[in-house]
Amino acid sequence: DAEITQSPRHKITETGRQVTLACHQTWNHNNMFWYRQDLGHGLRLIHYSYGVQDTNKGEVSDGYSVSRSNTEDLPLTLESAASSQTSVYFCASSEAPYNEQFFGPGTRLTVL
Amino acid sequence: RKEVEQDPGPFNVPEGATVAFNCTYSNSASQSFFWYRQDCRKEPKLLMSVYSSGNEDGRFTAQLNRASQYISLLIRDSKLSDSATYLCVVTSNTGNQFYFGTGTSLTVIP
């Protein structure tokens, strides 16, 4: 069955370190998204991609970057982790804009 | 102003009760609307899309009111398994961004 996976599921890191969160989907979806979820804010869009070599900034993109070298993967990089980036990160994919987004299981990141 | 506003609850209802959630949105040009369900420490999953004419899926009914810019979710005959957080979702007018509400917490009590 097609699926979307994230790794690691849990990560503890220190302020200033570079961190990369992986997202892999086997739906063959062109559209992929990264969100963060924090209490009181709901899910907020960090970056999204409509296809290979395409990336776009979302609502809360500062301090984050993504790259899309193939259809299946959209890794999210925190260039220099900050305590404010402690959150739960969800990756999602969809077949097309307006369509249902399928979410991965999430990565719980703690920055000390 | 937030794109999407939801009453966070919590809603605590007995089994068999009917419960309704509302959600308002600010962009009148929004194109698509959804309700997602999120269980504790899990990922959101689509519950149902919301169509202009309203739609029903078993015990769940979704309504869209474009004039007043709100969507609603009605759950009839609540089950213990309905306990979760319900997220309303509104897309941008181009469809390239989903805006999530903060979620409404529902607990169904035996």
Side-chain angles (χ1 to χ4, degrees):
Chain A
D1 287 340
E3 61 177 358
I4 181 167
T5 57
Q6 293 182 235
S7 62
R9 296 293 313 278
H10 298 88
K11 173 79 175 177
I12 300 174
T13 191
E14 295 177 343
T15 302
R17 290 192 181 268
Q18 184 180 78
V19 177
T20 296
L21 309 183
C23 175
H24 179 80
Q25 53 98 3
T26 58
W27 297 96
N28 200 35
H29 287 163
N30 284 323
N31 307 302
M32 295 185 72
F33 310 84
W34 273 104
Y35 295 89
R36 61 179 287 175
Q37 187 172 35
D38 305 285
L39 201 61
H41 288 281
L43 282 150
R44 291 181 291 175
L45 183 64
I46 305 171
H47 281 285
Y48 59 100
S49 168
Y50 284 157
V52 176
Q53 302 302 333
D54 176 74
T55 61
N56 304 280
K57 293 181 178 181
E59 179 187 357
V60 290
S61 60
D62 287 350
Y64 304 94
S65 63
V66 293
S67 61
R68 188 89 180 271
S69 58
N70 58 53
T71 300
E72 296 78 19
D73 299 288
L74 186 70
L76 176 72
T77 297
L78 286 68
E79 303 294 343
S80 177
S83 58
S84 59
Q85 295 177 307
T86 293
S87 186
V88 179
Y89 291 86
F90 287 102
C91 179
S93 71
S94 71
E95 189 174 3
Y98 300 118
N99 284 20
E100 172 189 3
Q101 291 186 11
F102 296 87
F103 284 81
T107 294
R108 190 169 295 272
L109 177 68
T110 302
V111 183
L112 300 176
Chain B
R1 183 181 175 187
K2 287 185 177 180
E3 296 284 342
V4 181
E5 300 266 12
Q6 264 188 275
D7 180 351
F11 285 71
N12 300 312
V13 302
E15 271 186 291
T18 296
V19 61
F21 308 137
N22 288 326
C23 175
T24 59
Y25 61 95
S26 60
N27 185 354
S28 60
S30 295
Q31 292 292 327
S32 299
F33 309 86
F34 306 91
W35 282 101
Y36 275 70
R37 171 191 168 129
Q38 186 173 24
D39 293 298
C40 188
R41 303 178 80 84
K42 298 284 191 180
E43 73 272 24
K45 293 184 179 179
L46 180 70
L47 178 65
M48 57 197 306
S49 301
V50 186
Y51 303 120
S52 297
S53 55
N55 48 301
E56 187 173 310
D57 182 3
R59 298 180 294 107
F60 299 85
T61 300
Q63 296 278 354
L64 167 63
N65 185 316
R66 284 193 181 272
S68 300
Q69 294 180 211
Y70 76 83
I71 63 173
S72 64
L73 177 68
L74 183 75
I75 305 175
R76 292 180 299 278
D77 188 23
S78 298
K79 310 292 185 191
L80 296 177
S81 57
D82 294 333
S83 297
T85 296
Y86 292 83
L87 309 172
C88 71
V89 184
V90 175
T91 68
S92 62
N93 52 320
T94 56
N96 63 350
Q97 292 200 28
F98 274 33
Y99 296 103
F100 287 79
T102 53
T104 299
S105 174
L106 171 66
T107 300
V108 181
I109 304 164

